[in-house]
Amino acid sequence: MRGTAGGGAAGRSGARRVRAAAGLMLVWVALLWALEAVDLASGHALDAYGITPRDPVELRDIVPAAFLHFGFGHVASNSVPLLVFGFLAALGGTRRFLAVAALIVVADGLGVWLVSPAYSNTAGASGLVFGLFGYLVVRGWVDLKPLDIAVGLAIGAVWGGTVLLGISPTSTGVSWQGHLFGLVAGVAAAFVFRRRPTRGAAPLTP
């Protein structure tokens, strides 16, 4: 029964990943709410750190803008999908998740900076939400993992219609550019951070 010890170790490792993923995303979303509370208390002073397009100085706001929102309703609309998508993505490893999130935030912010309407101000975690959606839908096919493929199909079935609406240029009051660039960045991240198969791994003997 040499596989027993390995199975137990795998179970403990899986439990640690669940706790790490859940803890990371709870802290992440709590930070968004805390920042919005600071913004409200300061008379919305943090809104200035949103992205105003094609101003070179605004490039420094690409990362901060992904953590700021225009009101608690805005935070609330992003919190649930960010918790769900972030948790599922972080189950694959927190370091991999942070690298994926960083790529999405930076690529999405640059896209918003380049193509958003002049004099607009864009902020919010929705670009990351759309990016994680794209990442999760594609990840299983890239890594050739049946469970992740099933997760991606389920997410696509539940949230696919909302995502399509969110990237439509006819949507008013939202940055469809940020949603679209986030989605594309998430799909790209699945390829950039794909898992290479481990060679020479010895099978467990039952």
Side-chain angles (χ1 to χ4, degrees):
M1 298 296 294
R2 285 184 291 171
T4 304
R12 289 191 295 272
S13 175
R16 283 195 298 269
R17 287 197 174 199
V18 169
R19 289 194 296 269
L24 174 61
M25 295 317 302
L26 287 172
V27 170
W28 194 303
V29 172
L31 175 62
L32 302 185
W33 283 86
L35 287 171
E36 187 53 35
V38 171
D39 184 47
L40 179 63
S42 65
H44 301 289
L46 297 184
D47 289 354
Y49 293 92
I51 302 171
T52 300
R54 294 173 293 284
D55 180 351
V57 176
E58 291 293 308
L59 288 170
R60 67 189 179 187
D61 293 335
I62 283 175
V63 174
F67 294 85
L68 303 174
H69 294 80
F70 301 127
F72 286 107
H74 190 195
V75 182
S77 67
N78 285 326
S79 293
V80 172
L82 182 58
L83 277 171
V84 174
F85 299 164
F87 172 73
L88 292 173
L91 285 176
T94 53
R95 284 186 296 180
R96 186 188 189 194
F97 168 78
L98 291 173
V100 167
L103 187 154
I104 293 170
V105 167
V106 172
D108 179 55
L110 285 172
V112 167
W113 184 83
L114 283 169
V115 306
S116 286
Y119 309 112
S120 61
N121 186 19
T122 302
S126 57
L128 177 59
V129 168
F130 276 67
L132 291 175
F133 172 88
Y135 171 74
L136 289 170
V137 168
V138 173
R139 179 184 63 176
W141 302 99
V142 175
D143 291 345
L144 300 178
K145 297 183 68 174
L147 179 58
D148 287 344
I149 291 173
V151 169
L153 290 173
I155 288 173
V158 174
W159 273 284
T162 302
V163 168
L164 288 175
L165 181 62
I167 62 175
S168 170
T170 60
S171 298
T172 58
V174 298
S175 173
W176 64 267
Q177 298 94 340
H179 296 168
L180 178 60
F181 279 104
L183 180 64
V184 172
V187 171
F191 289 90
V192 173
F193 299 107
R194 65 186 181 276
R195 292 195 185 279
R196 274 74 173 181
T198 302
R199 296 182 180 179
L204 293 175
T205 302

